[in-house]
Amino acid sequence: MGNIEEILNRGVEEIIDKESLIAKLKSKTQLRFKFGVDPTAPDIHLGTAVLLRKLAEFQKLGHKIIFLIGDFTATIGDPSGANKTRPVLDPREINQNAKTYLGQAGKILDIQKTEVRRNSEWYKKMSLSEFLKIKSCFTVQRILERDDFADRLKQGAEILSYEIDYPVLQAYDSVVLNADVEIGGTDQKFNMLAGRRLMKKMGLLPQDVMTMKILVGTDGAKKMSKSLGNYIGISERPQDMYGKIMSIPDALIEPYFLLCTDCALDKIREIKSPRDQKARLAFEIVKICHNQKEAQKAEAEFNRIFKESREPSEISVKTVKSGKIIDLLVETGLASSKSEARRLVEQGGVGLRVENKRVKIKDINTSVPIEKNPIIQVGKRKFVRVKR
C-alpha cells in the first residue's frame, strides 16, 4: 500500500469501514469522494483546509472529488457541535459566501478536476411526499441520540423540528451523489453515518466514512471556528497568517504540523526550540496557502519587527486631528471606542515610536507629538503612522 497507508493514517481519526475502503482503493476504479460544506461564512479556515488537503491527496491518485456546497442546508444550519439553534442565514448571504469558497478551495484542490455541486439542485425540486418517504427511513429516537441534541435536552434548550431534519438531508445528499466515501471532521460522524444507513436502506452500496482529527483554534482550547474568533483564514495576508501561527500555544505545534503540513514529525522534533519550530510551521503553512516567495517575505517581515525591533516595512499613514492618545486610537481605527482605547492603554497594550525611540504609553491623558509623524503600535502587529 505504501503511500496509501500514509494517506489513510495521517491526521485520520477513524475510517468506517476501513477494510471496505482499502478494497475499493485496491480495485483501481475511480472513487467518488464527497465533501460537503455549508457556506455560512465567507472564509475557509485552516480547520477546513485539513479536510481539503486530505481530499487533494486522493485527487492526486486519480479519484473524483465532489465539492458539495450546501446552499440549501445552510438555510437550516448544521446543529453539529452547537449548544443552541444556529441563526438562519439570508439566501443572498449564502450565495455570496459560496462564490468565495471555490476560489479559496482552489488553493488546495484542482477545481478543474473537481465536481462542484449545490444541494439546492435537488431539494428545490423535491416534493413533500418524496421528503416524507426519505424521513420514514429514520426514527426520532435515533436522531436524538446524537450528542448535540442529547446535551441540549439535558440543559432544557430548544431543538427546533427542522434541526432534526438536517442529518436526513445530509444523508440524502450522499444518495443523490452516489458517494463511495465521505470525508468530514469528527463532529460530522453522526451525519455521515446517517448517509451510510440511508444508502443501505435505498439499496445502494453504502459509503465509507473517514473522520479527520479536529484542528484546535489559536486559543488552544476550542475547535477552530470563525464565530469564536480563534481561526486563521487560508486567504488571510501572508504576514497576518505568519504572525498568528507564531502566537499559538506551544502545545499546538505538533498537531498543526500533523494536520496542516506534509512535514515529517520526527524531523520537526529534531528542532529543539519551540520558537524555531513555530517559525518552520508558519513558513510551511504560508507556503501552502500562498507560495514560497510570500512565505519568505512574511518570515522576513516578522523577523524585522520581532527580532530586530524595527517597524514594519509598510505602515499605513493616517491624518488625524487630535493629539490625545485616546482620541488617536479611535481616529486611526486601532480602537473601536474610547472605552476600548482606555482599556488598551491601561493594560499596557499601546506603544509609541518617535524618532527611533520606543516608549510604552501608560497614561490615558498622554499627548502625542503629531508634528514628528510618530508610529502608534497596538499589541504586537498593529502599526499606524500619524500626521496632521
Side-chain angles (χ1 to χ4, degrees):
M1 291 285 283
N3 185 44
I4 292 294
E5 195 63 37
E6 168 71 9
I7 292 173
L8 295 182
N9 282 282
R10 182 165 180 139
V12 176
E13 181 71 25
E14 186 178 13
I15 299 175
I16 306 165
D17 168 356
K18 188 170 184 177
E19 289 185 5
S20 168
L21 178 54
I22 290 174
K24 288 175 182 177
L25 291 169
K26 284 183 176 179
S27 72
K28 302 298 182 181
T29 58
Q30 186 184 60
L31 301 181
R32 293 173 61 78
F33 282 79
K34 172 196 169 192
F35 171 68
V37 58
D38 286 347
T40 54
D43 298 330
I44 289 179
H45 55 62
L46 288 182
T48 305
V50 169
L51 302 163
L52 294 175
R53 281 169 44 76
K54 184 60 64 176
L55 291 163
E57 291 179 318
F58 287 110
Q59 188 175 56
K60 289 173 184 174
L61 293 177
H63 299 291
K64 176 62 70 176
I65 305 304
I66 310 166
F67 189 88
L68 176 64
I69 296 174
D71 57 339
F72 183 88
T73 44
T75 61
I76 293 176
D78 183 4
S80 298
N83 58 13
K84 61 182 179 180
T85 302
R86 296 188 188 275
V88 176
L89 296 183
D90 183 279
R92 289 175 297 181
E93 185 180 357
I94 291 171
N95 287 330
Q96 187 58 43
N97 292 343
K99 288 178 183 178
T100 70
Y101 272 33
L102 289 179
Q104 294 175 67
K107 289 176 173 286
I108 299 170
L109 292 174
D110 184 339
I111 293 298
Q112 298 302 316
K113 295 180 180 179
T114 301
E115 182 178 327
V116 180
R117 305 291 293 275
R118 293 177 177 238
N119 58 18
S120 60
E121 292 174 33
W122 45 92
Y123 288 127
K124 284 189 175 180
K125 299 174 184 176
M126 181 178 285
S127 67
L128 179 59
S129 60
E130 289 176 304
F131 178 58
L132 292 175
K133 184 177 180 180
I134 296 167
K135 283 193 68 172
S136 70
C137 296
F138 296 87
T139 65
V140 173
Q141 290 92 330
R142 188 60 182 264
I143 296 291
L144 292 179
E145 282 176 1
R146 62 180 296 164
D147 294 340
D148 316 299
F149 291 149
D151 290 343
R152 282 158 70 178
L153 285 172
K154 289 177 184 176
Q155 296 165 9
E158 285 186 338
I159 300 174
L160 299 183
S161 60
Y162 68 72
E163 292 184 274
I164 296 174
D165 293 333
Y166 190 95
V168 178
L169 295 171
Q170 183 170 329
Y172 188 66
D173 288 340
S174 295
V175 171
V176 173
L177 297 171
N178 195 22
D180 293 302
V181 187
E182 183 168 11
I183 292 182
T186 54
D187 57 338
Q188 288 293 314
K189 180 178 176 180
F190 184 95
N191 292 346
M192 295 191 292
L193 289 179
R196 183 176 168 85
R197 289 193 297 271
L198 183 59
M199 293 175 86
K200 282 182 182 178
K201 290 196 173 186
M202 299 189 79
L204 298 173
L205 187 66
Q207 66 181 12
D208 293 315
V209 166
M210 178 182 287
T211 62
M212 296 293 295
K213 296 180 185 296
I214 294 291
L215 187 70
V216 175
T218 54
D219 58 356
K222 296 183 179 179
K223 166 186 168 182
M224 184 172 285
S225 166
K226 184 171 174 60
S227 61
L228 296 175
N230 63 352
Y231 74 103
I232 301 172
I234 66 172
S235 291
E236 288 188 27
R237 292 190 329 132
Q239 295 93 328
D240 294 337
M241 183 179 288
Y242 193 100
K244 284 186 178 182
I245 295 165
M246 290 298 292
S247 298
I248 64 172
D250 291 354
L252 296 185
I253 296 173
E254 193 160 303
Y256 272 47
F257 266 114
L258 174 69
L259 297 174
C260 302
T261 78
D262 298 318
C263 298
L265 295 184
D266 56 344
K267 297 294 183 183
I268 298 304
R269 290 169 186 147
E270 292 175 3
I271 304 172
K272 299 304 180 184
S273 163
R275 194 272 175 202
D276 291 341
Q277 288 180 336
K278 284 185 194 178
R280 173 69 184 278
L281 176 64
F283 184 91
E284 291 295 329
I285 292 177
V286 174
K287 183 176 73 172
I288 290 168
C289 294
H290 295 279
N291 55 56
Q292 182 159 330
K293 184 177 179 181
E294 291 295 342
Q296 290 169 337
K297 287 170 61 178
E299 181 179 56
E301 186 72 3
F302 186 89
N303 289 338
R304 174 188 175 94
I305 298 169
F306 296 101
K307 268 192 171 182
E308 302 166 18
S309 298
R310 298 163 65 194
E311 69 271 9
S313 54
E314 295 181 7
I315 302 177
S316 63
V317 179
K318 302 278 187 179
T319 301
V320 296
K321 297 177 182 179
S322 175
K324 292 183 178 180
I325 188 60
I326 297 299
D327 296 329
L328 279 175
L329 290 171
V330 177
E331 277 191 71
T332 56
L334 292 171
S336 59
S337 64
K338 288 189 176 183
S339 59
E340 184 190 6
R342 289 191 186 92
R343 178 179 58 78
L344 288 170
V345 172
E346 289 168 353
Q347 291 179 348
V350 180
L352 192 67
R353 298 187 182 211
V354 185
E355 297 177 340
N356 296 323
K357 293 181 180 180
R358 295 190 302 160
V359 294
K360 182 82 73 176
I361 295 179
K362 300 179 180 180
D363 186 350
I364 61 173
N365 295 311
T366 298
S367 290
V368 176
I370 306 299
E371 66 280 358
K372 295 184 179 181
N373 295 342
I375 296 170
I376 301 175
Q377 179 179 351
V378 172
K380 294 181 178 180
R381 296 192 295 272
K382 293 181 180 180
F383 298 83
V384 171
R385 186 182 293 278
V386 294
K387 68 174 186 177
R388 290 202 188 276

